[in-house]
Amino acid sequence: WVKQQSPLGYRAYLVVFKNMKMVPVPDQAFGNFFEGDCYIVLYRSQASSNSMDIHYWIGNSSSQDEQGAAAILVTQLDEFLGGSPVQHREVQAAESSKFRSYFRNGLIYKKGGVESGFRHVESNVYNILRLLHIKGRKHVTATEVEVSWSSFNSGDVFLLDMGKVIVQWNGPQSNRSEKLKAVLLAQDIRDRERGGRAQIGVVEGGDEEDSPELMKIMRAVLGQRSGKLKEAEPDDTPDYHQQTANIKLYNVSDESGKLVVQEVAMQPLTQDLLHSTDCYIVDQGGSSVLVWKGKEASVEERRSALGRAVGFIKAKNYASSTNVEVMAEGGESAMFKHLFISWTEKGQTKGLGNVYTTGKIAKVEQVKFDVMELHARPELAAQQRMVDDASGQVQIWRIEDLELRELHPSSFGQFYGGDCYLVLYTYKRANKLQYILYMWQGRHATQDEITSCAYQAVAMDNKYSGVPVQVRVVMGKEPRHFLAIFKGKLIIFEGGTGRAGVTNPSPGARLFQVRGTHEMNTRATEVPARSSSLNTNDVFLLKTDHTIYLWYGKGCSGDEREMAKAVADVLSRQDKQVVMEGQEPAEFWVALGGKAPYACDKRLQKEETPHSPRLFECSNQTGRFRMTEVEDLTQEDLDQDDVMLLDTWEEIFLWIGRSANEYETKEACNSALEYLRTHPAGRDPDTPIISVKQGYEPLTFTGWFNAWDPHKWSNLNNTELSKGSAGGSNGGGGYSAPGGPAQFSSPPSYKTGEYLGPSTTLAPSTTPAPRTGEYLGPELLLNKSPKELPKGVDPNRREDYLSDVDLENLLGCSRSGFQRLPKWRQNDLKKKAGLF
């Protein structure tokens, strides 16, 4: 086994088959796959020692014997590791997003197999001539194609690799992201396969005359081009619409002595359909096949799970490239859990203030948390959906005649179902003002009012220079922070309006259900004033013409009773009368129209497990709007050219990049609604949707990302790249090489006609390297002890010996930008890059 520490905190193990034996792949060859071979990739998460994934990759030219051997060895490896890893079947050019995410600089498909695969990659070998066709934006693939002009097209990027020189040719219609990814891949080939000694040149296909030297080299290899370039090829990118497919669950059993696959249910699926004694197949309409192995299933059933999935694909006439995922009970993937209406783990803990719909019998203990921990622990802020302790400034406007009318603080917390409101919450973070703009939509508001509310929200967002985080709130689905703003005095009236001068029709008796244990999570919601609305687990307020009854269900707590008293004081100054369940006076039942059965089951329901967040990229770069899932979400996955959708189950975040176009932004909002509507788990279509702009992310968003860097985009600018640069001319950067976080400043301008190498600079350095007088390649400075460094190099100032290009690639910022950072920040970047 050969190990590699990845930037994501994983360890990778790869093997390739040689005469049906496993042969270790050297670390410099990671990401290179021969089309005639099969590979096994094992990833072990450092974040969780119990989390492992086994992928077996099938090359398009590999033999049936090799594919069969791969499947057998994967099963053996799974048993050796205790059956806990999730198994994945990957087919060349149709790999899962999780597999592609392991190789941040892209996958390279190489011609040949077996013997060539056995040799794999040798460092510092220059007798190479190949043409790589680069495709993809988020996860890049590079396929070896015929070294000929006939292989080129106008929409993609190509690398002509000649050993000591690598020429990157950017198609006239290729976009900035593809160009940057290709640069990263070229640098990766240079550093890992050529020991950092190759030079890289860039040609803009639409302006080839600007690069006469490089074009001379290309023509010497390819000959003179005749005729026009081929048209751009569309990227074959999967999108989120696969979730709308017909989800079916099948049981796999061998009780009869023969393995049988039988359909059990269709979506929506529930967890209780899965029994530990059996194995199951979940079919996502042919887009992927998921296999679940029960803990008590027979050995034969478990061993045959992967093979049965492959046989299932053939029987259904699905594409041979269909992704397969096999997991054991207790080790389910996030995608698998998302296919079920709810998913409960054994021994799960309970958190703060979950929102429950009115009338449910469920009763969950709610635990208060220490708000002082929110800024120190952003992951807690995300899990609890709280950006602060809700002590900021509040302003509220009601939509009246399609205009805004500001409300007096005396009416704060009273929301009417016939109205729409804008709630602006202002707070400070790091001595900087932050804003959240809630758009509350009453259930009975007119469509004109709802539209006007959205329009006025845009106007207010513009007034505050686009800084506010916008949150759509549907009546009855208020998020936790919204509840906390009103300090336990939030009252939601079913209908009517709060407008002055408008007399609401008298409904007679009014009944309110009170839920919450403290001022951070309490609200009172009006329900139909009849006996069947009562719930033994809650407190209810019954308001009549003369008095207010506080009805205490047998399952309510003392804290809930205290909060109900506070709400009752806000609701009316009338006399209060406490009524215990089972001791109601006759007048109480008369006010409710007579006694009737109501929810009185004391059975407690466990809290729903927090689902793992899922990140999707929303883009129309390919000419069609798509949503593509991004695995193992990190801050680097947020692309400033796109809109990203983050699904945390309780809410949907739309992260809007600085360079995202208007069409993507508009379609993302519509697709968020469609995503909820078509989700196989039957998601609530009124789930809050939160719009977040790049650079203004709240803690409730950043807490879902490990090691979020708040300074990453502090110097963000939208400087247009010069014509002929590797970044194209359609926006700012967002580019980084392995070893340092990206900065959203302009990426290095790779001028056409010039070479990039470890000792080649694009411009004179502003800081001369001390003592040596010349720059050193990164391979001589990275992860070296002081004794291993070249003579005369100061180990505390290694960055001074790097060229401007290499320094920016490794540290993610320019030399001048790096020097402006505080010392602790400089050291942090150097540690991450291996320069400390």
Side-chain angles (χ1 to χ4, degrees):
W1 298 103
V2 178
K3 301 181 181 181
Q4 180 195 35
Q5 181 70 45
S6 88
L8 293 176
Y10 288 82
R11 291 189 183 275
Y13 307 78
L14 288 80
V15 294
V16 64
F17 292 90
K18 159 71 173 171
N19 298 327
M20 307 311 149
K21 295 180 180 178
M22 294 191 297
V23 179
V25 173
D27 54 359
Q28 68 265 29
F30 280 22
N32 289 264
F33 293 86
F34 282 90
E35 296 179 344
D37 288 330
C38 292
Y39 293 72
I40 290 178
V41 179
L42 171 64
Y43 256 63
R44 183 193 300 270
S45 171
Q46 288 189 329
S48 173
S49 59
N50 295 325
S51 177
M52 287 184 286
D53 291 89
I54 302 174
H55 302 256
Y56 81 96
W57 183 91
I58 299 172
N60 286 342
S61 302
S62 61
S63 68
Q64 288 295 323
D65 288 342
E66 285 181 306
Q67 295 178 25
I72 292 172
L73 287 168
V74 165
T75 302
Q76 292 176 349
L77 180 59
D78 178 68
E79 291 182 356
F80 175 77
L81 294 171
S84 61
V86 177
Q87 302 170 41
H88 309 259
R89 176 179 176 266
E90 311 282 358
V91 177
Q92 180 182 339
E95 297 89 354
S96 65
S97 57
K98 186 176 186 68
F99 183 83
R100 290 174 184 245
S101 71
Y102 299 157
F103 306 97
R104 289 281 172 170
N105 289 327
L107 302 174
I108 300 177
Y109 303 139
K110 308 180 78 168
K111 297 292 184 184
V114 188
E115 291 302 323
S116 53
F118 181 59
R119 290 195 306 271
H120 244 282
V121 175
E122 296 179 36
S123 296
N124 306 325
V125 174
Y126 302 103
N127 57 337
I128 291 170
L129 178 60
R130 61 177 177 174
L131 181 63
L132 297 176
H133 180 187
I134 313 299
K135 289 187 71 69
R137 300 180 62 255
K138 185 63 67 177
H139 301 305
V140 172
T141 61
T143 306
E144 282 191 15
V145 294
E146 181 186 356
V147 183
S148 166
W149 282 116
S150 63
S151 299
F152 286 70
N153 69 65
S154 60
D156 291 325
V157 178
F158 293 81
L159 294 182
L160 181 59
D161 184 2
M162 296 164 282
K164 290 187 178 181
V165 176
I166 302 172
V167 179
Q168 174 177 328
W169 185 91
N170 297 328
Q173 297 175 31
S174 59
N175 60 56
R176 184 189 66 88
S177 178
E178 290 172 329
K179 296 174 184 178
L180 291 177
K181 286 290 188 179
V183 167
L184 284 176
L185 180 59
Q187 291 180 331
D188 193 47
I189 293 172
R190 177 196 67 187
D191 296 339
R192 286 200 294 145
E193 298 185 21
R194 312 292 150 74
R197 295 178 178 85
Q199 292 181 314
I200 302 171
V202 180
V203 175
E204 287 297 333
D207 299 292
E208 293 179 342
E209 64 277 4
D210 293 342
S211 312
E213 284 189 44
L214 293 176
M215 285 306 299
K216 184 178 180 180
I217 293 173
M218 291 188 70
R219 292 189 185 103
V221 175
L222 301 169
Q224 190 69 33
R225 186 172 67 227
S226 60
K228 290 184 178 181
L229 290 167
K230 289 189 295 187
E231 291 298 315
E233 299 176 1
D235 289 328
D236 186 19
T237 307
D239 57 50
Y240 88 106
H241 292 292
Q242 71 178 35
Q243 77 167 16
T244 64
N246 194 12
I247 312 295
K248 292 184 179 181
L249 178 69
Y250 295 84
N251 173 260
V252 182
S253 174
D254 68 346
E255 284 186 4
S256 61
K258 182 181 179 181
L259 280 170
V260 177
V261 178
Q262 184 176 4
E263 183 177 332
V264 175
M266 295 176 61
Q267 68 183 61
L269 304 179
T270 55
Q271 189 180 357
D272 58 9
L273 292 169
L274 304 174
H275 300 286
S276 298
T277 54
D278 288 323
C279 293
Y280 296 85
I281 289 176
V282 177
D283 178 12
Q284 286 193 274
S287 63
S288 68
V289 171
L290 311 175
V291 182
W292 185 88
K293 302 183 296 184
K295 289 182 177 179
E296 300 172 23
S298 69
V299 175
E300 179 58 30
E301 285 178 332
R302 294 169 63 86
R303 282 180 178 172
S304 304
L306 184 57
R308 292 293 161 182
V310 175
F312 180 85
I313 290 172
K314 292 179 180 177
K316 287 284 188 177
N317 289 321
Y318 292 155
S320 60
S321 58
T322 301
N323 289 121
V324 175
E325 219 176 89
V326 181
M327 65 209 73
E329 181 179 357
E332 297 84 3
S333 64
M335 184 175 74
F336 185 82
K337 294 177 183 177
H338 268 246
L339 298 177
F340 291 77
I341 293 178
S342 63
W343 192 272
T344 305
E345 305 284 2
K346 293 181 179 178
Q348 63 195 41
T349 57
K350 298 172 183 176
L352 163 75
N354 272 15
V355 179
Y356 298 94
T357 53
T358 301
K360 280 190 178 179
I361 191 69
K363 178 70 175 182
V364 178
E365 179 186 359
Q366 298 176 334
V367 182
K368 196 168 184 177
F369 66 101
D370 182 3
V371 295
M372 300 303 292
E373 289 189 69
L374 291 178
H375 292 278
R377 296 177 56 200
E379 72 278 6
L380 180 66
Q383 291 163 8
Q384 304 297 352
R385 277 74 178 180
M386 298 290 287
V387 297
D388 68 346
D389 60 359
S391 61
Q393 180 184 349
V394 180
Q395 293 173 272
I396 302 179
W397 295 265
R398 182 172 49 243
I399 303 297
E400 293 189 11
D401 299 323
L402 308 185
E403 299 294 334
L404 291 179
R405 178 175 293 277
E406 188 166 3
L407 304 186
H408 190 273
S410 61
S411 65
F412 283 9
Q414 299 179 38
F415 290 80
Y416 290 83
D419 291 328
C420 288
Y421 300 82
L422 286 184
V423 179
L424 180 65
Y425 180 78
T426 306
Y427 66 104
K428 278 190 175 182
R429 185 169 135 204
N431 292 321
K432 185 178 180 182
L433 289 178
Q434 307 284 334
Y435 306 94
I436 301 177
L437 184 60
Y438 292 101
M439 298 166 281
W440 192 91
Q441 302 173 0
R443 185 177 292 121
H444 305 292
T446 66
Q447 189 58 49
D448 286 345
E449 287 172 326
I450 293 174
T451 302
S452 178
C453 184
Y455 174 80
Q456 296 292 350
V458 171
M460 189 166 295
D461 181 70
N462 292 334
K463 177 182 177 182
Y464 287 90
S465 303
V467 174
V469 171
Q470 297 181 41
V471 185
R472 182 198 71 148
V473 180
V474 176
M475 176 178 170
K477 307 295 169 121
E478 293 76 17
R480 302 183 196 183
H481 186 261
F482 187 89
L483 299 179
I485 289 174
F486 299 102
K487 306 297 185 292
K489 298 178 181 179
L490 176 63
I491 302 174
I492 300 174
F493 296 90
E494 174 60 27
T497 178
R499 299 183 189 185
V502 177
T503 303
N504 292 315
S506 176
R510 307 186 78 160
L511 184 64
F512 296 85
Q513 183 178 30
V514 181
R515 282 191 164 168
T517 56
H518 49 77
E519 65 177 19
M520 302 290 281
N521 65 2
T522 297
R523 66 175 163 185
T525 306
E526 185 173 9
V527 295
R530 49 177 178 259
S531 302
S532 59
S533 297
L534 298 175
N535 186 325
T536 191
N537 288 315
D538 291 319
V539 178
F540 285 79
L541 304 179
L542 177 61
K543 184 180 183 301
T544 66
D545 293 336
H546 307 292
T547 188
I548 286 185
Y549 294 99
L550 281 79
W551 184 85
Y552 295 158
K554 293 178 181 179
C556 72
S557 67
D559 288 337
E560 289 172 319
R561 296 178 187 181
E562 290 302 313
M563 293 312 302
K565 291 177 184 177
V567 174
D569 290 336
V570 175
L571 193 61
S572 175
R573 297 184 180 275
Q574 293 172 304
D575 292 337
K576 314 296 190 300
Q577 181 178 343
V578 174
V579 175
M580 306 300 293
E581 182 180 5
Q583 302 176 21
E584 299 85 355
E587 296 82 3
F588 178 85
W589 295 119
V590 169
L592 290 176
K595 192 173 182 179
Y598 59 85
C600 57
D601 188 348
K602 296 181 182 179
R603 177 171 46 86
L604 302 185
Q605 177 179 310
K606 287 185 178 180
E607 181 184 2
E608 188 174 289
T609 300
H611 286 73
S612 299
R614 300 176 74 187
L615 182 67
F616 297 85
E617 177 189 32
C618 308
S619 173
N620 72 331
Q621 295 279 356
T622 60
R624 173 189 167 196
F625 184 81
R626 295 180 179 275
M627 285 177 60
T628 308
E629 185 162 6
V630 179
E631 293 285 346
D632 298 317
L633 62 160
T634 66
Q635 190 176 0
E636 283 69 29
D637 291 318
L638 301 176
D639 190 334
Q640 72 162 359
D641 286 338
D642 293 327
V643 175
M644 311 294 289
L645 184 149
L646 178 65
D647 179 7
T648 64
W649 199 264
E650 280 194 27
E651 64 272 299
I652 300 291
F653 286 96
L654 287 176
W655 182 91
I656 302 171
R658 282 288 178 95
S659 301
N661 62 49
E662 184 178 352
Y663 178 83
E664 288 174 344
T665 304
K666 180 181 178 181
E667 281 303 305
C669 295
N670 294 333
S671 291
L673 295 170
E674 181 71 4
Y675 172 83
L676 289 169
R677 188 185 69 80
T678 61
H679 199 284
R683 297 283 289 281
D684 189 337
D686 293 334
T687 298
I689 298 175
I690 304 171
S691 296
V692 176
K693 295 183 180 66
Q694 181 180 354
Y696 301 100
E697 297 83 0
L699 289 173
T700 46
F701 178 84
T702 63
W704 296 108
F705 296 79
N706 185 36
W708 181 274
D709 181 2
H711 305 288
K712 184 180 182 70
W713 300 319
S714 58
N715 297 320
L716 185 147
N717 64 70
N718 289 320
T719 304
E720 292 294 318
L721 299 181
S722 61
K723 189 175 182 181
S725 71
S729 57
N730 60 338
Y735 142 86
S736 72
Q743 296 287 336
F744 270 80
S745 55
S746 294
S749 178
Y750 298 144
K751 299 178 182 177
T752 56
E754 291 191 18
Y755 297 126
L756 306 183
S759 59
T760 304
T761 56
L762 297 177
S765 172
T766 56
T767 305
R771 300 185 189 175
T772 62
E774 61 180 18
Y775 295 121
L776 300 176
E779 71 278 0
L780 300 176
L781 301 169
L782 293 176
N783 301 311
K784 303 289 186 184
S785 67
K787 293 181 180 180
E788 296 175 311
L789 292 172
K791 186 177 180 181
V793 172
D794 183 350
N796 295 319
R797 300 184 61 189
R798 304 180 196 210
E799 67 278 10
D800 291 343
Y801 301 86
L802 291 168
S803 70
D804 289 349
V805 173
D806 286 329
L807 183 142
E808 187 158 356
N809 290 344
L810 289 167
L811 300 180
C813 59
S814 65
R815 193 181 299 276
S816 60
F818 177 77
Q819 292 169 346
R820 286 195 298 267
L821 295 174
K823 190 67 176 176
W824 70 268
R825 181 65 180 146
Q826 291 182 1
N827 290 338
D828 183 55
L829 289 179
K830 287 164 63 176
K831 286 178 181 177
K832 291 178 179 177
L835 287 170
F836 196 79

